[in-house]
Amino acid sequence: MAKTSVTNVQLEAHPHKKQSEIVRILKQLRKNKLAMAGLFIFIVECLLALLSPLIIPYSVTEMDFTAVYTGPSSAHLFGCDDMGRDIFSRILYGGRYSLTIGLVAVAFAVFFGIIIGAVAGYYGGQVDNIIMRLLDVIQAIPGMLLMIVISAVLGNGFFQTIIAMSVGTIPGMARMLRAQMLKERGNEYIEASISINCSQPRIIFNHLLPNCLSPIIVQATMGVAQTITLAAGLSFIGLGIKPPSPEWGAMLSNARTYIRDAWHVTVIPGLGIMLTILALNLMGDGLRDALDPRLKD
């Protein structure tokens, strides 16, 4: 009887298991309707871009000179461009270029930014000074100008555009992680890890880094939106993806001459970019709120 009472007291003292941090973040994110709407839009766009070769009604290079500048219709949902190419097909397929550039460029920037920021923030001193001064030199050049220079040197192309995008984003990621590292490295759990002779890489990547990633995740989400915009800008001035590839910025650049005569040729690619940026910004705002420890239940 006494044993049963003790067991009941123990159960009452611990009625629920502690939820993992990931579950808490997901629950917090689900409460934000705008963030979920942004996530839904972005997932749909990614799926449409991924499956575009299977669902597009026309080839992206197929030309029909009898349908030049025709407006939206049942045959061509978004109309046709100056060469009679189906804009709906090109928008869907072009998402593969724009979304991939944004995601891959930010992934490269986060990877190298984490390494640089972790080293600078953990070791500090002269190592930190050298790294920060090098980043100062890079950041002294306006971001768009730096990307234009890199694109002009490397030439037009998909991978060249990714490199141009990622180089300009690395310093911001590194500085953000360094600031978090400097704030976290004086905590007691780091001193305890040092006292039991944990290796420096283990302290950095197993203990410090997981506690510093929240702002990086938010910044990366926002960075994808910014990178897509900058990539479209590079293509718009002729330094991004080579035509006839249907990248959204290149489509805008090709159609800007005809904006008065055929509104759909410029408006529809512009709406594609705008909708993607809006979805990513909504996601970023939602993640920022979900990762804020002050909003824990």
Side-chain angles (χ1 to χ4, degrees):
M1 184 71 177
K3 186 175 180 181
T4 304
S5 299
V6 171
T7 304
N8 290 336
V9 170
Q10 290 175 341
L11 289 173
E12 290 175 2
H14 303 283
H16 301 288
K17 291 184 179 179
K18 187 178 180 181
Q19 293 180 334
S20 69
E21 186 69 8
I22 295 177
V23 172
R24 184 198 70 80
I25 291 170
L26 290 176
K27 285 188 174 181
Q28 195 72 32
L29 189 62
R30 287 178 60 186
K31 295 178 183 179
N32 191 324
K33 302 301 182 184
L34 290 177
M36 294 306 296
L39 178 62
F40 175 77
I41 292 170
F42 186 68
I43 290 175
V44 169
E45 287 186 340
C46 290
L47 288 175
L48 289 175
L50 185 65
L51 300 175
S52 59
L54 304 177
I55 61 179
I56 56 176
Y58 303 94
S59 168
V60 295
T61 57
E62 181 181 343
M63 293 181 285
D64 181 4
F65 290 106
T66 63
V68 171
Y69 294 134
T70 55
S73 64
S74 58
H76 300 281
L77 192 60
F78 291 164
C80 295
D81 63 8
D82 59 317
M83 295 185 180
R85 295 171 298 192
D86 183 63
I87 295 177
F88 177 73
S89 301
R90 290 176 65 78
I91 285 288
L92 292 188
Y93 197 87
R96 298 164 68 95
Y97 291 98
S98 297
L99 296 175
T100 301
I101 288 172
L103 293 171
V104 175
V106 170
F108 275 127
V110 168
F111 177 76
F112 290 107
I114 283 176
I115 293 174
I116 296 169
V119 171
Y122 180 78
Y123 290 102
Q126 195 64 27
V127 173
D128 183 29
N129 281 332
I130 293 172
I131 293 175
M132 287 300 104
R133 298 301 74 78
L134 290 174
L135 294 181
D136 285 341
V137 172
I138 297 175
Q139 289 190 301
I141 306 171
M144 190 62 180
L145 178 60
L146 177 63
M147 294 174 192
I148 289 173
V149 170
I150 295 173
S151 295
V153 171
L154 297 179
N156 295 28
F158 180 72
F159 294 105
Q160 292 89 331
T161 303
I162 289 176
I163 293 172
M165 296 292 105
S166 59
V167 169
T169 312
I170 289 173
M173 296 289 182
R175 282 187 177 278
M176 182 174 292
L177 186 63
R178 169 187 174 268
Q180 289 295 117
M181 285 279 189
L182 291 174
K183 186 168 66 174
E184 290 286 333
R185 71 177 184 178
N187 289 338
E188 293 180 355
Y189 70 91
I190 299 301
E191 295 176 2
S193 300
I194 294 173
S195 67
I196 61 174
N197 295 322
C198 282
S199 64
Q200 290 180 346
R202 184 175 180 183
I203 293 173
I204 293 173
F205 293 104
N206 286 15
H207 300 292
L208 270 173
L209 192 57
N211 291 291
C212 299
L213 282 181
S214 295
I216 293 292
I217 293 172
V218 176
Q219 182 65 23
T221 306
M222 300 291 193
V224 173
Q226 184 181 13
T227 303
I228 291 173
T229 306
L230 291 172
L234 280 181
S235 297
F236 188 82
I237 61 176
L239 291 173
I241 303 296
K242 295 179 180 178
S245 299
E247 196 270 335
W248 293 341
M251 293 175 67
L252 278 174
S253 177
N254 185 59
R256 67 180 184 268
T257 309
Y258 314 104
I259 188 170
R260 292 180 181 273
D261 302 318
W263 62 269
H264 62 282
V265 180
T266 51
V267 170
I268 291 175
L271 287 175
I273 296 173
M274 185 195 73
L275 189 62
T276 305
I277 305 308
L278 176 63
L280 287 166
N281 285 336
L282 292 175
M283 286 171 54
D285 288 340
L287 280 172
R288 182 188 58 205
D289 295 339
L291 292 168
D292 191 339
R294 293 173 294 182
L295 299 178
K296 287 184 179 180
D297 295 330

